[in-house]
């Protein structure tokens, strides 16, 4: 019986590793970031993406890898005392770098690296915006999925009074993880920092 369980877990692990490798990740890199997976319990069949603040675990995303499951199953607000709008993935990077990237998902943040934070959606909560504004970061690159280009420029408008801001327009139907780090960096370098008038014009164009 123990052999059967052991064999099952090894096969389960191979599935998770194969899926993550197909998304361009090295398992050793994900291990350093605390990424793991569950084979039983509430989050069975999900990759666990931990959120840290000051080196302390404060939240997590439980992302499904099998079709048919709800994409994310996150802790309930009553479990932790706060919900996903009151956390930021890789919060510490706001205090370690002068230039940071803001993306939607943890997978996209992991793809780009240590100077990238994820907000868990297309729009930021007032709490998340406040955290970014009061951080010492000087320049921000907003890289949302292509279907959130309007939201990206609206966010830029909120941040431009306080930070240098630019927006990366992603190829149709693609995100950071899909095109990869090198291609995304190329798009970042080709995207200029914007003033308020330019941002307003972009908002009018994409409405």
């Amino acid at each position: 019986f123990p052999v059967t369980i052991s064999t099952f877990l090894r096969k389960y692990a191979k599935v998770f590793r194969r899926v993550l490798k197909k998304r361009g990740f090295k398992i050793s890199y994900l291990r350093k970031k605390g990424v793991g997976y569950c084979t039983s319990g509430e989050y069975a069949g999900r990759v666990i993406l931990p959120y840290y603040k000051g080196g302390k675990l404060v939240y997590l995303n439980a992302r499904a890898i099998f079709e048919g499951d709800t994409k994310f199953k996150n802790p309930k607000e009553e479990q932790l005392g706060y919900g996903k709008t009151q956390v930021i993935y890789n919060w510490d990077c706001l205090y370690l770098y002068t230039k940071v990237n803001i993306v939607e998902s943890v997978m996209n943040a992991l793809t780009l690296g240590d100077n990238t934070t994820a907000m868990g959606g297309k729009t930021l909560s007032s709490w998340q915006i406040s955290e970014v504004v009061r951080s010492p970061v000087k320049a921000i690159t907003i890289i949302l999925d292509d279907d959130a280009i309007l939201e990206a420029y609206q966010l830029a408008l909120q941040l431009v009074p306080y930070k240098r801001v630019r927006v990366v327009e992603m190829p149709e139907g693609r995100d950071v993880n899909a095109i990869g780090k090198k291609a995304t960096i190329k798009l970042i370098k080709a995207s200029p920092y914007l003033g308020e008038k330019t941002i307003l014009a972009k908002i009018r164009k994409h409405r």
Side-chain angles (χ1 to χ4, degrees):
F1 185 73
V3 174
T4 304
I5 294 295
S6 177
T7 301
F8 168 76
L9 293 179
R10 282 199 299 270
K11 289 182 177 180
Y12 216 55
K14 287 181 180 179
V15 172
F16 278 97
R17 288 169 179 264
R18 184 168 62 249
V19 170
L20 292 170
K21 285 179 179 178
K22 281 185 177 180
R23 294 182 71 98
F25 295 114
K26 292 183 178 181
I27 300 303
S28 58
Y29 169 73
L30 295 178
R31 188 181 297 118
K32 290 178 182 178
K33 296 296 182 180
V35 176
Y37 56 87
C38 284
T39 58
S40 62
E42 183 179 359
Y43 301 121
R46 295 175 181 273
V47 174
I48 304 302
L49 306 168
Y51 285 51
Y52 297 97
K53 183 176 181 179
K56 181 181 177 182
L57 179 66
V58 295
Y59 196 71
L60 64 86
N61 284 157
R63 192 186 193 286
I65 64 166
F66 300 116
E67 292 184 6
D69 288 339
T70 304
K71 190 172 183 179
F72 289 104
K73 186 175 183 180
N74 302 326
K76 296 178 181 178
E77 188 169 342
E78 53 265 29
Q79 290 178 285
L80 301 175
Y82 46 81
K84 69 175 186 177
T85 62
Q86 296 167 299
V87 292
I88 295 173
Y89 177 77
N90 196 19
W91 179 90
D92 292 341
C93 84
L94 296 173
Y95 292 84
L96 295 174
Y97 298 93
T98 57
K99 297 179 180 180
V100 302
N101 309 307
I102 291 178
V103 297
E104 287 187 41
S105 73
V106 175
M107 287 293 189
N108 287 341
L110 286 168
T111 299
L112 267 187
D114 292 341
N115 68 328
T116 305
T117 184
M119 299 297 172
K122 302 181 189 304
T123 59
L124 273 64
S125 67
S126 58
W127 182 91
Q128 289 171 324
I129 291 173
S130 177
E131 287 292 299
V132 174
V133 166
R134 68 183 185 180
S135 75
V137 167
K138 297 184 182 301
I140 294 170
T141 302
I142 301 168
I143 319 170
L144 305 186
D145 297 354
D146 76 294
D147 62 347
I149 189 61
L150 176 59
E151 289 86 349
Y153 282 114
Q154 289 172 334
L155 175 58
L157 186 62
Q158 291 177 287
L159 296 178
V160 76
Y162 313 99
K163 314 286 184 181
R164 296 181 70 202
V165 180
R166 58 184 170 183
V167 173
V168 173
E169 297 195 14
M170 297 297 287
E172 185 176 355
R174 311 289 278 173
D175 64 11
V176 171
N177 183 252
I179 69 172
K181 184 175 182 177
K182 289 183 179 179
T184 302
I185 289 175
K186 187 176 180 180
L187 289 176
I188 291 172
K189 290 180 177 179
S191 303
Y193 286 100
L194 307 171
E196 185 176 332
K197 288 184 179 179
T198 302
I199 295 171
L200 285 169
K202 292 286 187 178
I203 290 174
R204 287 194 292 271
K205 175 184 175 182
H206 291 285
R207 271 181 175 161

